[in-house]
Amino acid sequence: MPRNIVFVAPFPAEVTQRFVRAVARLSDVRLLGVVHTPPPGDDARVYDDLVRVERPLDTASLIEGVTELQRRHGRPARIIGILEAVQVQLAEVRAHFGVEGTPPKVAELFRDKSRMKAALAKAGLPVARNAVLRSLSDAKAFAERVGFPLVLKPVQGMGAKSTFRIRNVGQLLHTLNSLGVGHGREVLAEEFLRGREFSFETITVGGQVKLHSISQYLPTCLEAVENPWIQWCCLLPRDVTGPTFDRARRIGWAAIEALGLEDGVTHMEWFERPDGSLAIGEIAQRPPGANISLMTGLAHDFDLYRAWARAVVDGVFEAKTERKYAVGSAFLRGMGRGRVAQVTGVRETHEAVGRLIAEAKLPTLGAMRSDSYEGDGYVVLRDPDTEVVKRALKFVIDTVRVSYVED
């Protein structure tokens, strides 16, 4: 009898569907979906059955959806998903049905950035100084303690979304007022971490890290958010040895142990300060953005999506972990607002670095400008030599130009 695997995939984004397809290709699996918006075309047929829910981020609504699937097909063996915003709810649904997987207390530690950082600090790991602000007086006290600039972000934020760099008291008070702090809402304030920004990804099985990868943001994520015209890059260098990366590994492994993850994938942002010290930005129990999942598979020359599926469904990891390539993504975007009107430099880019292109998505003419910091398109490059990839990334962002026109 096939195992009933419930995949909660509210919206059919391409990155989500890559993980869905990987689960569908496992042996002895009946793939059951809980969705808000059903996927189009062939992706709809990947599921053996699915139900639609109106409130995909609501635990009760998800329980109703899984209950209906259980009525049709029997008890689920796994209940999984990749979106950060639904990890706590998935854990609560698993607990309701008595299904194996990350429990609510662990999911909540990853999701609540304040509790996460408290747990990491308790374990002796370096994190940015932080505080939950519930009033203007809280904010003033924190600013006096850590100074400016500082960072404001949601307590349960995702990546760099809704993150603000605050440079002075006036900007602090204005931003807090606009966010409703002091009127029943709260926000997380953090010390601003200076230096080079990296990420650390893992696949963990049985509490043991089976695969890890390191990548670098060029420039930092916050700079990319603050300057929406920048065509920025993410690089996975081939060589991730040396003292700095060794310390990052130890910190990353210790963070997973401190938060209690048994099976799953993590994405940790960390900084190397100008003085050489390291600090954790935050860690999430989800696959990374910025094409890092795709690039990790390309760097190690294996199917990362299948490796993730095997880890969370079967509790095993079989992939090879040798890092064979350097890989990088250049994210395409430009100045202005409205719809994509023109993309230039494509032919020149293909002629110069075409042999290195592993995957590309050009901005769609006529499409509305994306509000994501990942932009309207990307070019993924791969080569055994890290310097070759770095030069090619620079060529792409210097050559491709995206322009927009307002309606």
Side-chain angles (χ1 to χ4, degrees), residues 32 43 81 146 165 179 188 230 267 294 304 337 344 357 383:
L32 309 174
D43 275 332
V146 305
R165 186 194 321 223
L179 295 174
L188 182 66
I230 289 178
H267 165 59
L294 168 66
L304 179 130
R337 297 179 297 176
T344 61
I357 297 175
D383 190 84

Side-chain angles (χ1 to χ4, degrees), residues 78 203-205 263-264 306-317:
R78 293 287 189 274
I203 293 179
T204 299
V205 177
D263 298 307
R306 176 178 172 80
W308 170 86
R310 289 281 279 152
V312 299
V313 173
D314 298 323
V316 299
F317 183 84

Side-chain angles (χ1 to χ4, degrees), residues 333-383:
R333 53 191 197 162
M335 297 183 67
R337 297 179 297 176
R339 299 183 183 275
V340 177
Q342 188 177 32
V343 182
T344 61
V346 174
R347 179 180 57 80
E348 294 86 345
T349 296
H350 190 270
E351 290 175 351
V353 300
R355 69 177 183 84
L356 306 179
I357 297 175
E359 183 173 309
K361 176 183 177 295
L362 294 178
T364 302
L365 295 178
M368 290 299 300
R369 177 183 180 137
S370 172
D371 61 359
S372 167
Y373 73 106
E374 294 178 5
D376 298 293
Y378 58 81
V379 179
V380 180
L381 305 162
R382 181 172 77 162
D383 190 84

Side-chain angles (χ1 to χ4, degrees), residues 141-197:
F142 183 77
E144 288 176 2
R145 187 162 72 251
V146 305
F148 292 101
L150 56 84
V151 174
L152 298 181
K153 62 175 63 174
V155 174
Q156 294 190 338
M158 293 181 289
K161 293 181 179 179
S162 302
T163 298
F164 305 91
R165 186 194 321 223
I166 305 299
R167 295 175 170 83
N168 53 57
V169 172
Q171 187 182 10
L172 175 63
L173 297 180
H174 174 77
T175 304
L176 292 173
N177 282 322
S178 68
L179 295 174
V181 175
H183 303 281
R185 295 188 178 182
E186 60 185 27
V187 68
L188 182 66
E190 291 183 357
E191 166 194 7
F192 179 73
L193 292 174
R194 293 178 171 85
R196 299 194 298 165
E197 185 178 8

Side-chain angles (χ1 to χ4, degrees), residues 10 23 26 130 136 142 183 189 191 193 199 211 218 241 247 301 308-309 323 331 339 360 365 373 407:
V23 176
L26 296 181
N130 64 93
L136 299 185
F142 183 77
H183 303 281
E191 166 194 7
L193 292 174
S199 74
L211 172 76
L218 304 165
T241 61
R247 283 184 291 146
D301 203 22
W308 170 86
R323 191 125 158 162
F331 295 95
R339 299 183 183 275
L365 295 178
Y373 73 106
D407 293 333

Side-chain angles (χ1 to χ4, degrees), residues 160-163 220-228 232 333 373:
K161 293 181 179 179
S162 302
T163 298
T220 68
C221 290
L222 185 55
E223 288 177 272
V225 169
E226 291 178 331
N227 301 281
W232 62 287
R333 53 191 197 162
Y373 73 106

